[in-house]
Amino acid sequence: MAKQFFANVKSVLSGDTLVLTSPNNPNAERTFSLAFVTGPHLRREGDEPFAFQSRDYLRKLAVGKVVQCNILYTIPTSGRDYGVAQLKDGTQLPDDLVKAGWLKVREDAGRKEESEEILQRLETLRSLEAEAKGEGKGLWEGIGGIIEVQNDISSLDINEWKGKAVDAVVERVLSGDRLLVRLKLSDKKHLQVMTLVAGIRAPTTERVNQSTGQTQPAEEFGNEARQFVEQRLLQRDVKAEIVGTSPQGQLIAAILHPRGSIAEFLLADGLARCNDFHSTLLGPKMVALRAAEKKAQSAKLRLHKDHVAKAEGGSSSDMIVSKIQGADAIFVRTKNGAEKRINLSSVRGPRTNEPSEAPFREEAKEYLRKKLIGKHVKVSVDGHRPASDDFEARDVATVTEKGKNINLQLVQDGWCSVIRHRKDDTDRAPNYDELLAAQEKAKEEKKGMWSGKPSKAKTYVDVSESVQKAKIQLSTLSRQKKVPAIVDFCKAGSRFTVLIPREGVKLTMVLAGVRAPRAPRLPQEKGEPFGQEALDLANRRCNQRDCEIDIHDIDKVGGFIGDLYINRESFAKVLVEEGLASVHQYSAEKAGNATELLAAEKRAKEGRKGMWHDWDPSQEEDAEEEVADVEASKDAAPADKKAADYREVVVTNIDSNGKLKIQEVGKGTSALEILMNEFKKFHLDSKNNKPLANPPKAGEFVAAKFSADGQWYRARVRSNDRTAKVAEVVYIDYGNSEKIPWSNLRALDQPQFSTQKLKGQATDAVLSFIQLPTAPDYFSDALNYIFEATDGRSLVASFDFVDSKEGLSYITLFDEKKSGSTFVDSINKDVVASGHALVPKKLKAWERGRASEEVLKKLREVEAQAKSDRLGMWEYGDITED
């Protein structure tokens, strides 16, 4: 008696063979062939005629259904069972296939059979075969039946088929996201290739490494994902919607079952994750996949069992953009005034270490600056990046301005690329797929950094580098009004670095008519009262802003004096109005803005703002009388006495050894101006273009062509390099020096330009009663401090002692408007008080007089205070102790 059993049909190998699984154990498989019949077979090297049609008929009849099988015999060598089967609807196999003409009865069938039942069955099959043959059904059609099957994707024109849904059959399931699919391109042509399920990435299944022969275990839920797809798609009719190919050349397609996309079902069951790399291929269809994944994450299904949900919506607040750090990072100021850094979610500006991107860094930053600086924006925090070795902790956020998504605009215009997040990274932009699509479009349209053609790098010449360069540029800028510019950096409340794009220059800008208190350069330093507040206001209102400037003059070191307008409002007036700067009446009247500034100062005083918080009108009214009383007082301490030799001076240079180069304002400078005009005309005449007759000698006076502006000045040769034919010269009227070739030297033998006619106007001087530190860093800090203290100010010098033998003057410097002040108001005292100089222990002969005792006493008091406050060179304690 034949053995009977029930099974599920998993797949069909050919028209005569089924692969069955146990209803109770899907992993238990067996191969079952239909008895007495044979059909054409599908082969790798090429299918037999009608093989696909024969198998397809049986596939549609049986796959996924329960069958009742009767085993008639078993082949001992292979162990394969042969028999007949019946579906629940009564369909008999192989009878139905023979009748339809898709199977032939084997010629040797029944030769050794004696069973009447089997012989009767064979008779029935042969009768059905004769009927099909007579009607020309199936295999008996006689012609055609050959389908060309290709296994190489290179034969497919992806652009032709992209976006089209092709009828297909899933031949094999390798993993949840990798299928062997037979695409029915036409009735006569099929393509059978490995296909990636679009939009997802499933865990891998157990597999053997071909190179080592070792078995690699499946990832968690990998086998479950494969079984999920097998049960639903294996040898089922599907639609394959082709979307593209992977970098490895594999076909990517959305696999659509009549009930929907298999990708969505896998995601919803937590058996796969969204694949960001497919986002641009799927476009808007990625939204449904993200939603399915989010549903599984919320339920913590399988792959998402450890998922930590983000707070809905995240934190969102209105802020003001205070600084642009780069194309993907900004500083914002909150309503309470606090400033913090924000990185834009999921986007990255041009990278320095990428040669194709690096040239676009400044352009990208400027693009964002124009869009955001000073603007009110909405910041929606999408996540937080903890501190690491290379980066500080920071928030990542989506920034919108007037409803426009700035992250998206940067990507759309090609100034940022999209970050490829890790699969478990949830700190990403909510419109991540839109960003990826925008990036692909920007690449196609060759926008921004994808153009491959960076604009010529914008370079700015620093015209404040020297007085000579500044003078040349002044003639151009002083003739223009409201010159468009950009504030590049705020050095102090009234001092800025400004860029002028149309001129291609960078300059130091000093506000005319005001004096803002000095801000500390380092956190541990003490600036003047309200200096930091003035700098903070400048940063809030001016830093990186577009502005307009009017230039009136230059100072002694190349700074440009003028007015700066932000949104057509004078920032000098704003600074004074807030009580963070005072009016310098002389320079204000010279600049023509005295009336406006004095009115602003009056309002600040009346409002007791900033430096006027303790202003007393009655004291101001009596100020002149009080000063007169102090000067007339016979009881004034000797420390407040000053030498009688006062002269108005300008500091033109500070040498690397700490010596000052000064010009005395008066007849000498007037005569110098006249001489230089004649000197310039003389050297413009080609008749006077005569090189030196002999090599220059150290100490010789010459005419030298200054490298910065190409003009001729009087100079003295300091040293010579006869091999290179280069001389180091000192410009005797200004004090600066440089090395220039002999070819740029001329004889200074004209009587009208000689030093007998007008001596060199730059003389050497040092500050009296103080000693600069010897440590290089502290010495450099001291020089910078003296530079800032004398920069842009009209000064009065008390000539305490003149060493005619050394050609050196010892001076005490005062601000011009305090020329009647005492020594304790001097710049010398300020240098010691800030910790940038000390009182010398070994005094010079002229410093040991009785008149100097009180001066030295007061200096030692401020030195002690600087030590106590750990200022400047005293930051680590008393360096003079043994």
Side-chain angles (χ1 to χ4, degrees), residues 723-750:
T723 304
K725 295 186 177 182
V726 170
E728 183 182 12
V729 299
V730 179
Y731 295 99
I732 61 175
D733 296 311
Y734 299 97
N736 54 317
S737 62
E738 67 170 348
K739 291 182 178 181
I740 57 175
W742 289 356
S743 58
N744 286 344
L745 299 177
R746 293 177 183 173
L748 189 67
D749 52 5
Q750 304 83 19

PDB file of all heavy atoms in Angstrom, residues 723-750:
ATOM      1  N   THR A 723      77.872  89.383  -0.416  1.00  0.00           N
ATOM      2  CA  THR A 723      77.659  88.234  -1.307  1.00  0.00           C
ATOM      3  C   THR A 723      76.314  88.354  -2.020  1.00  0.00           C
ATOM      4  O   THR A 723      76.221  88.188  -3.243  1.00  0.00           O
ATOM      5  CB  THR A 723      77.703  86.917  -0.508  1.00  0.00           C
ATOM      6  OG1 THR A 723      78.947  86.853   0.199  1.00  0.00           O
ATOM      7  CG2 THR A 723      77.574  85.721  -1.446  1.00  0.00           C
ATOM      8  N   ALA A 724      75.255  88.628  -1.245  1.00  0.00           N
ATOM      9  CA  ALA A 724      73.907  88.742  -1.823  1.00  0.00           C
ATOM     10  C   ALA A 724      73.631  90.121  -2.374  1.00  0.00           C
ATOM     11  O   ALA A 724      72.594  90.337  -3.017  1.00  0.00           O
ATOM     12  CB  ALA A 724      72.865  88.389  -0.759  1.00  0.00           C
ATOM     13  N   LYS A 725      74.549  91.091  -2.100  1.00  0.00           N
ATOM     14  CA  LYS A 725      74.359  92.484  -2.504  1.00  0.00           C
ATOM     15  C   LYS A 725      73.054  93.049  -1.954  1.00  0.00           C
ATOM     16  O   LYS A 725      72.210  93.596  -2.667  1.00  0.00           O
ATOM     17  CB  LYS A 725      74.417  92.617  -4.028  1.00  0.00           C
ATOM     18  CG  LYS A 725      75.785  92.285  -4.610  1.00  0.00           C
ATOM     19  CD  LYS A 725      75.850  92.574  -6.104  1.00  0.00           C
ATOM     20  CE  LYS A 725      77.256  92.298  -6.639  1.00  0.00           C
ATOM     21  NZ  LYS A 725      77.391  92.613  -8.068  1.00  0.00           N
ATOM     22  N   VAL A 726      72.901  92.834  -0.632  1.00  0.00           N
ATOM     23  CA  VAL A 726      71.709  93.300   0.094  1.00  0.00           C
ATOM     24  C   VAL A 726      72.180  94.088   1.303  1.00  0.00           C
ATOM     25  O   VAL A 726      73.142  93.704   1.979  1.00  0.00           O
ATOM     26  CB  VAL A 726      70.835  92.112   0.537  1.00  0.00           C
ATOM     27  CG1 VAL A 726      69.749  92.569   1.493  1.00  0.00           C
ATOM     28  CG2 VAL A 726      70.221  91.422  -0.671  1.00  0.00           C
ATOM     29  N   ALA A 727      71.507  95.203   1.569  1.00  0.00           N
ATOM     30  CA  ALA A 727      71.847  96.026   2.729  1.00  0.00           C
ATOM     31  C   ALA A 727      70.644  96.145   3.653  1.00  0.00           C
ATOM     32  O   ALA A 727      69.501  96.200   3.194  1.00  0.00           O
ATOM     33  CB  ALA A 727      72.288  97.414   2.277  1.00  0.00           C
ATOM     34  N   GLU A 728      70.937  96.170   4.966  1.00  0.00           N
ATOM     35  CA  GLU A 728      69.891  96.463   5.943  1.00  0.00           C
ATOM     36  C   GLU A 728      69.941  97.956   6.229  1.00  0.00           C
ATOM     37  O   GLU A 728      70.992  98.489   6.607  1.00  0.00           O
ATOM     38  CB  GLU A 728      70.089  95.679   7.236  1.00  0.00           C
ATOM     39  CG  GLU A 728      68.949  95.929   8.221  1.00  0.00           C
ATOM     40  CD  GLU A 728      69.129  95.190   9.544  1.00  0.00           C
ATOM     41  OE1 GLU A 728      70.233  94.676   9.774  1.00  0.00           O
ATOM     42  OE2 GLU A 728      68.156  95.170  10.315  1.00  0.00           O
ATOM     43  N   VAL A 729      68.816  98.653   6.015  1.00  0.00           N
ATOM     44  CA  VAL A 729      68.777 100.102   6.197  1.00  0.00           C
ATOM     45  C   VAL A 729      67.748 100.472   7.261  1.00  0.00           C
ATOM     46  O   VAL A 729      66.762  99.753   7.472  1.00  0.00           O
ATOM     47  CB  VAL A 729      68.445 100.832   4.876  1.00  0.00           C
ATOM     48  CG1 VAL A 729      69.489 100.546   3.820  1.00  0.00           C
ATOM     49  CG2 VAL A 729      67.055 100.448   4.372  1.00  0.00           C
ATOM     50  N   VAL A 730      68.008 101.622   7.906  1.00  0.00           N
ATOM     51  CA  VAL A 730      67.065 102.194   8.868  1.00  0.00           C
ATOM     52  C   VAL A 730      66.574 103.507   8.287  1.00  0.00           C
ATOM     53  O   VAL A 730      67.386 104.370   7.905  1.00  0.00           O
ATOM     54  CB  VAL A 730      67.740 102.444  10.232  1.00  0.00           C
ATOM     55  CG1 VAL A 730      66.743 103.057  11.205  1.00  0.00           C
ATOM     56  CG2 VAL A 730      68.318 101.168  10.794  1.00  0.00           C
ATOM     57  N   TYR A 731      65.266 103.663   8.192  1.00  0.00           N
ATOM     58  CA  TYR A 731      64.689 104.905   7.666  1.00  0.00           C
ATOM     59  C   TYR A 731      64.737 105.951   8.782  1.00  0.00           C
ATOM     60  O   TYR A 731      64.030 105.842   9.779  1.00  0.00           O
ATOM     61  CB  TYR A 731      63.268 104.667   7.176  1.00  0.00           C
ATOM     62  CG  TYR A 731      63.236 103.725   5.991  1.00  0.00           C
ATOM     63  CD1 TYR A 731      62.942 102.378   6.153  1.00  0.00           C
ATOM     64  CD2 TYR A 731      63.533 104.174   4.714  1.00  0.00           C
ATOM     65  CE1 TYR A 731      62.930 101.501   5.070  1.00  0.00           C
ATOM     66  CE2 TYR A 731      63.528 103.309   3.629  1.00  0.00           C
ATOM     67  CZ  TYR A 731      63.234 101.978   3.809  1.00  0.00           C
ATOM     68  OH  TYR A 731      63.225 101.112   2.727  1.00  0.00           O
ATOM     69  N   ILE A 732      65.616 106.951   8.585  1.00  0.00           N
ATOM     70  CA  ILE A 732      65.988 107.833   9.693  1.00  0.00           C
ATOM     71  C   ILE A 732      64.867 108.768  10.138  1.00  0.00           C
ATOM     72  O   ILE A 732      64.921 109.321  11.242  1.00  0.00           O
ATOM     73  CB  ILE A 732      67.239 108.661   9.323  1.00  0.00           C
ATOM     74  CG1 ILE A 732      66.957 109.551   8.095  1.00  0.00           C
ATOM     75  CG2 ILE A 732      68.430 107.732   9.078  1.00  0.00           C
ATOM     76  CD1 ILE A 732      68.103 110.491   7.743  1.00  0.00           C
ATOM     77  N   ASP A 733      63.844 108.935   9.305  1.00  0.00           N
ATOM     78  CA  ASP A 733      62.757 109.828   9.692  1.00  0.00           C
ATOM     79  C   ASP A 733      61.581 109.097  10.325  1.00  0.00           C
ATOM     80  O   ASP A 733      60.666 109.749  10.848  1.00  0.00           O
ATOM     81  CB  ASP A 733      62.271 110.612   8.469  1.00  0.00           C
ATOM     82  CG  ASP A 733      63.352 111.531   7.922  1.00  0.00           C
ATOM     83  OD1 ASP A 733      63.943 112.274   8.725  1.00  0.00           O
ATOM     84  OD2 ASP A 733      63.624 111.473   6.698  1.00  0.00           O
ATOM     85  N   TYR A 734      61.592 107.741  10.260  1.00  0.00           N
ATOM     86  CA  TYR A 734      60.453 106.973  10.785  1.00  0.00           C
ATOM     87  C   TYR A 734      60.879 105.863  11.748  1.00  0.00           C
ATOM     88  O   TYR A 734      60.070 105.405  12.546  1.00  0.00           O
ATOM     89  CB  TYR A 734      59.641 106.374   9.622  1.00  0.00           C
ATOM     90  CG  TYR A 734      59.085 107.445   8.721  1.00  0.00           C
ATOM     91  CD1 TYR A 734      59.749 107.799   7.551  1.00  0.00           C
ATOM     92  CD2 TYR A 734      57.926 108.127   9.061  1.00  0.00           C
ATOM     93  CE1 TYR A 734      59.260 108.808   6.735  1.00  0.00           C
ATOM     94  CE2 TYR A 734      57.417 109.134   8.235  1.00  0.00           C
ATOM     95  CZ  TYR A 734      58.090 109.476   7.078  1.00  0.00           C
ATOM     96  OH  TYR A 734      57.605 110.466   6.288  1.00  0.00           O
ATOM     97  N   GLY A 735      62.121 105.409  11.637  1.00  0.00           N
ATOM     98  CA  GLY A 735      62.625 104.449  12.614  1.00  0.00           C
ATOM     99  C   GLY A 735      62.511 102.992  12.233  1.00  0.00           C
ATOM    100  O   GLY A 735      63.144 102.144  12.870  1.00  0.00           O
ATOM    101  N   ASN A 736      61.713 102.647  11.228  1.00  0.00           N
ATOM    102  CA  ASN A 736      61.596 101.239  10.834  1.00  0.00           C
ATOM    103  C   ASN A 736      62.767 100.841   9.948  1.00  0.00           C
ATOM    104  O   ASN A 736      63.479 101.694   9.399  1.00  0.00           O
ATOM    105  CB  ASN A 736      60.272 100.981  10.114  1.00  0.00           C
ATOM    106  CG  ASN A 736      60.063 101.901   8.935  1.00  0.00           C
ATOM    107  OD1 ASN A 736      60.333 103.088   9.017  1.00  0.00           O
ATOM    108  ND2 ASN A 736      59.585 101.341   7.831  1.00  0.00           N
ATOM    109  N   SER A 737      62.992  99.543   9.822  1.00  0.00           N
ATOM    110  CA  SER A 737      64.136  99.058   9.054  1.00  0.00           C
ATOM    111  C   SER A 737      63.729  97.883   8.183  1.00  0.00           C
ATOM    112  O   SER A 737      62.699  97.244   8.424  1.00  0.00           O
ATOM    113  CB  SER A 737      65.269  98.637   9.988  1.00  0.00           C
ATOM    114  OG  SER A 737      64.855  97.568  10.816  1.00  0.00           O
ATOM    115  N   GLU A 738      64.551  97.595   7.162  1.00  0.00           N
ATOM    116  CA  GLU A 738      64.311  96.431   6.314  1.00  0.00           C
ATOM    117  C   GLU A 738      65.566  96.128   5.505  1.00  0.00           C
ATOM    118  O   GLU A 738      66.491  96.965   5.413  1.00  0.00           O
ATOM    119  CB  GLU A 738      63.122  96.659   5.373  1.00  0.00           C
ATOM    120  CG  GLU A 738      63.367  97.702   4.331  1.00  0.00           C
ATOM    121  CD  GLU A 738      62.261  97.743   3.267  1.00  0.00           C
ATOM    122  OE1 GLU A 738      61.425  96.818   3.226  1.00  0.00           O
ATOM    123  OE2 GLU A 738      62.275  98.682   2.474  1.00  0.00           O
ATOM    124  N   LYS A 739      65.608  94.933   4.922  1.00  0.00           N
ATOM    125  CA  LYS A 739      66.707  94.546   4.040  1.00  0.00           C
ATOM    126  C   LYS A 739      66.258  94.711   2.594  1.00  0.00           C
ATOM    127  O   LYS A 739      65.211  94.201   2.208  1.00  0.00           O
ATOM    128  CB  LYS A 739      67.114  93.096   4.298  1.00  0.00           C
ATOM    129  CG  LYS A 739      67.779  92.880   5.651  1.00  0.00           C
ATOM    130  CD  LYS A 739      68.214  91.427   5.834  1.00  0.00           C
ATOM    131  CE  LYS A 739      68.923  91.248   7.176  1.00  0.00           C
ATOM    132  NZ  LYS A 739      69.375  89.857   7.388  1.00  0.00           N
ATOM    133  N   ILE A 740      67.092  95.437   1.797  1.00  0.00           N
ATOM    134  CA  ILE A 740      66.743  95.679   0.397  1.00  0.00           C
ATOM    135  C   ILE A 740      67.994  95.514  -0.461  1.00  0.00           C
ATOM    136  O   ILE A 740      69.119  95.693   0.005  1.00  0.00           O
ATOM    137  CB  ILE A 740      66.130  97.083   0.183  1.00  0.00           C
ATOM    138  CG1 ILE A 740      67.097  98.169   0.665  1.00  0.00           C
ATOM    139  CG2 ILE A 740      64.799  97.213   0.865  1.00  0.00           C
ATOM    140  CD1 ILE A 740      66.595  99.577   0.374  1.00  0.00           C
ATOM    141  N   PRO A 741      67.828  95.177  -1.752  1.00  0.00           N
ATOM    142  CA  PRO A 741      68.993  95.019  -2.646  1.00  0.00           C
ATOM    143  C   PRO A 741      69.686  96.361  -2.910  1.00  0.00           C
ATOM    144  O   PRO A 741      69.066  97.416  -2.858  1.00  0.00           O
ATOM    145  CB  PRO A 741      68.382  94.430  -3.919  1.00  0.00           C
ATOM    146  CG  PRO A 741      66.942  94.779  -3.865  1.00  0.00           C
ATOM    147  CD  PRO A 741      66.572  94.845  -2.428  1.00  0.00           C
ATOM    148  N   TRP A 742      70.965  96.294  -3.231  1.00  0.00           N
ATOM    149  CA  TRP A 742      71.726  97.506  -3.527  1.00  0.00           C
ATOM    150  C   TRP A 742      71.102  98.284  -4.691  1.00  0.00           C
ATOM    151  O   TRP A 742      71.226  99.506  -4.749  1.00  0.00           O
ATOM    152  CB  TRP A 742      73.174  97.131  -3.892  1.00  0.00           C
ATOM    153  CG  TRP A 742      73.980  96.644  -2.722  1.00  0.00           C
ATOM    154  CD1 TRP A 742      73.578  96.596  -1.424  1.00  0.00           C
ATOM    155  CD2 TRP A 742      75.311  96.132  -2.759  1.00  0.00           C
ATOM    156  NE1 TRP A 742      74.571  96.080  -0.634  1.00  0.00           N
ATOM    157  CE2 TRP A 742      75.658  95.789  -1.425  1.00  0.00           C
ATOM    158  CE3 TRP A 742      76.239  95.934  -3.764  1.00  0.00           C
ATOM    159  CZ2 TRP A 742      76.897  95.261  -1.092  1.00  0.00           C
ATOM    160  CZ3 TRP A 742      77.479  95.414  -3.449  1.00  0.00           C
ATOM    161  CH2 TRP A 742      77.816  95.073  -2.108  1.00  0.00           C
ATOM    162  N   SER A 743      70.461  97.576  -5.600  1.00  0.00           N
ATOM    163  CA  SER A 743      69.888  98.252  -6.773  1.00  0.00           C
ATOM    164  C   SER A 743      68.799  99.246  -6.383  1.00  0.00           C
ATOM    165  O   SER A 743      68.417 100.106  -7.186  1.00  0.00           O
ATOM    166  CB  SER A 743      69.326  97.218  -7.747  1.00  0.00           C
ATOM    167  OG  SER A 743      68.338  96.433  -7.106  1.00  0.00           O
ATOM    168  N   ASN A 744      68.242  99.121  -5.158  1.00  0.00           N
ATOM    169  CA  ASN A 744      67.200 100.036  -4.682  1.00  0.00           C
ATOM    170  C   ASN A 744      67.778 101.132  -3.781  1.00  0.00           C
ATOM    171  O   ASN A 744      67.051 101.713  -2.978  1.00  0.00           O
ATOM    172  CB  ASN A 744      66.106  99.264  -3.941  1.00  0.00           C
ATOM    173  CG  ASN A 744      65.218  98.485  -4.886  1.00  0.00           C
ATOM    174  OD1 ASN A 744      65.231  98.743  -6.087  1.00  0.00           O
ATOM    175  ND2 ASN A 744      64.456  97.541  -4.367  1.00  0.00           N
ATOM    176  N   LEU A 745      69.058 101.369  -3.905  1.00  0.00           N
ATOM    177  CA  LEU A 745      69.717 102.431  -3.143  1.00  0.00           C
ATOM    178  C   LEU A 745      70.277 103.480  -4.098  1.00  0.00           C
ATOM    179  O   LEU A 745      70.724 103.173  -5.216  1.00  0.00           O
ATOM    180  CB  LEU A 745      70.866 101.852  -2.295  1.00  0.00           C
ATOM    181  CG  LEU A 745      70.498 100.802  -1.236  1.00  0.00           C
ATOM    182  CD1 LEU A 745      71.767 100.302  -0.548  1.00  0.00           C
ATOM    183  CD2 LEU A 745      69.524 101.363  -0.217  1.00  0.00           C
ATOM    184  N   ARG A 746      70.254 104.757  -3.669  1.00  0.00           N
ATOM    185  CA  ARG A 746      70.857 105.853  -4.413  1.00  0.00           C
ATOM    186  C   ARG A 746      71.658 106.722  -3.447  1.00  0.00           C
ATOM    187  O   ARG A 746      71.418 106.704  -2.234  1.00  0.00           O
ATOM    188  CB  ARG A 746      69.793 106.691  -5.117  1.00  0.00           C
ATOM    189  CG  ARG A 746      69.054 105.961  -6.229  1.00  0.00           C
ATOM    190  CD  ARG A 746      67.972 106.830  -6.837  1.00  0.00           C
ATOM    191  NE  ARG A 746      67.202 106.124  -7.854  1.00  0.00           N
ATOM    192  CZ  ARG A 746      66.113 106.624  -8.442  1.00  0.00           C
ATOM    193  NH1 ARG A 746      65.680 107.844  -8.102  1.00  0.00           N
ATOM    194  NH2 ARG A 746      65.469 105.932  -9.352  1.00  0.00           N
ATOM    195  N   ALA A 747      72.525 107.494  -4.005  1.00  0.00           N
ATOM    196  CA  ALA A 747      73.351 108.372  -3.166  1.00  0.00           C
ATOM    197  C   ALA A 747      72.501 109.486  -2.558  1.00  0.00           C
ATOM    198  O   ALA A 747      71.586 110.006  -3.214  1.00  0.00           O
ATOM    199  CB  ALA A 747      74.484 108.967  -3.999  1.00  0.00           C
ATOM    200  N   LEU A 748      72.776 109.825  -1.319  1.00  0.00           N
ATOM    201  CA  LEU A 748      72.106 110.950  -0.657  1.00  0.00           C
ATOM    202  C   LEU A 748      73.146 112.076  -0.493  1.00  0.00           C
ATOM    203  O   LEU A 748      73.558 112.415   0.615  1.00  0.00           O
ATOM    204  CB  LEU A 748      71.549 110.517   0.715  1.00  0.00           C
ATOM    205  CG  LEU A 748      70.639 111.531   1.413  1.00  0.00           C
ATOM    206  CD1 LEU A 748      69.334 111.707   0.649  1.00  0.00           C
ATOM    207  CD2 LEU A 748      70.320 111.078   2.841  1.00  0.00           C
ATOM    208  N   ASP A 749      73.572 112.629  -1.647  1.00  0.00           N
ATOM    209  CA  ASP A 749      74.617 113.649  -1.635  1.00  0.00           C
ATOM    210  C   ASP A 749      74.095 115.018  -2.058  1.00  0.00           C
ATOM    211  O   ASP A 749      74.859 115.935  -2.336  1.00  0.00           O
ATOM    212  CB  ASP A 749      75.781 113.218  -2.535  1.00  0.00           C
ATOM    213  CG  ASP A 749      75.324 112.831  -3.932  1.00  0.00           C
ATOM    214  OD1 ASP A 749      74.105 112.990  -4.230  1.00  0.00           O
ATOM    215  OD2 ASP A 749      76.157 112.359  -4.729  1.00  0.00           O
ATOM    216  N   GLN A 750      72.779 115.138  -2.128  1.00  0.00           N
ATOM    217  CA  GLN A 750      72.183 116.418  -2.483  1.00  0.00           C
ATOM    218  C   GLN A 750      72.085 117.284  -1.215  1.00  0.00           C
ATOM    219  O   GLN A 750      71.488 116.849  -0.223  1.00  0.00           O
ATOM    220  CB  GLN A 750      70.785 116.225  -3.094  1.00  0.00           C
ATOM    221  CG  GLN A 750      70.756 115.306  -4.314  1.00  0.00           C
ATOM    222  CD  GLN A 750      70.698 113.824  -3.949  1.00  0.00           C
ATOM    223  OE1 GLN A 750      70.331 113.480  -2.831  1.00  0.00           O
ATOM    224  NE2 GLN A 750      71.115 112.963  -4.880  1.00  0.00           N
TER     225      GLN A 750
END
